[in-house]
């Protein structure tokens, strides 16, 4: 099958809705990236974004523990609503549960931040993607 040069690339349009703050950020990022247009920046951002897959097997222990904590906090809340009393031990248990949840969320955030793309990394990924497309 022979492909004529003008048929090699199809142009497709997409709509993107942004508020003014988001638009300003996109504009700034485009300028900082050194790319010619927002379209080029968006395209390259899509190409440069790593796909992270986390399986249920990996999440199962954390999900089970978070469910235990939330179930216990809910049972304390029910007790307080029924009796009108809350005990210092219950408050301590709630604090510990919230702290554990916060710590686990911070761990996940730290893991995700390792995948964050810096402007320098972004530029290198874009250059590599363009090189691959040319081959």
């Amino acid at each position: 099958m022979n492909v004529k040069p003008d048929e090699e690339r199809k142009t497709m349009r997409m709509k993107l809705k942004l508020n003014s703050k988001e638009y300003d950020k996109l504009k700034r990022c485009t300028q900082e990236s050194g790319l010619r247009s927002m379209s080029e920046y968006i395209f390259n951002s899509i190409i440069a974004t790593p796909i992270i897959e986390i399986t249920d097997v990996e999440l199962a222990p954390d999900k089970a523990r978070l469910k235990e904590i939330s179930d216990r906090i809910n049972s304390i809340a029910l007790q307080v609503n029924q009796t009108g009393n809350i005990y210092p031990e219950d408050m301590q248990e709630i604090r510990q549960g919230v702290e554990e949840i916060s710590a686990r969320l911070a761990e996940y955030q730290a893991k995700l931040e390792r995948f964050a793309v810096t402007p320098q990394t972004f530029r290198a990924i874009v250059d590599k993607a363009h090189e691959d497309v040319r081959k």
Side-chain angles (χ1 to χ4, degrees):
M1 177 177 171
N2 288 337
V3 177
K4 295 178 184 174
D6 59 338
E7 293 178 355
E8 286 180 7
R9 182 175 174 169
K10 290 184 179 182
T11 301
M12 300 175 76
R13 295 201 177 272
M14 294 176 64
K15 278 190 175 182
L16 179 64
K17 292 185 179 186
L18 303 171
N19 62 35
S20 60
K21 188 176 179 180
E22 293 166 336
Y23 178 82
D24 290 342
K25 183 175 182 177
L26 176 59
K27 188 175 179 181
R28 188 183 79 250
C29 289
T30 300
Q31 291 167 345
E32 289 173 5
S33 74
L35 297 172
R36 294 177 303 222
S37 68
M38 286 185 198
S39 293
E40 189 175 357
Y41 177 80
I42 292 168
F43 173 78
N44 284 290
S45 294
I46 292 168
I47 299 298
T49 302
I51 297 172
I52 303 164
E53 185 176 342
I54 301 174
T55 66
D56 279 343
V57 172
E58 293 172 274
L59 292 176
D62 283 337
K63 285 169 62 176
R65 180 61 186 139
L66 295 175
K67 183 170 178 3
E68 287 174 18
I69 293 168
S70 66
D71 288 349
R72 182 62 189 136
I73 291 172
N74 284 334
S75 76
I76 292 170
L78 281 172
Q79 175 190 326
V80 171
N81 287 331
Q82 291 171 351
T83 67
N85 297 323
I86 188 159
Y87 302 100
E89 310 84 46
D90 292 336
M91 288 301 299
Q92 181 60 30
E93 189 172 350
I94 290 170
R95 271 190 216 97
Q96 287 173 338
V98 169
E99 286 172 8
E100 185 174 341
I101 290 169
S102 295
R104 288 178 189 249
L105 290 175
E107 289 172 19
Y108 278 105
Q109 184 174 359
K111 287 178 184 178
L112 290 172
E113 285 173 354
R114 283 186 279 168
F115 291 107
V117 178
T118 66
Q120 296 81 14
T121 307
F122 177 79
R123 189 73 230 171
I125 292 169
V126 168
D127 291 344
K128 174 79 171 99
H130 284 255
E131 191 177 296
D132 291 347
V133 168
R134 279 184 243 138
K135 288 181 181 179

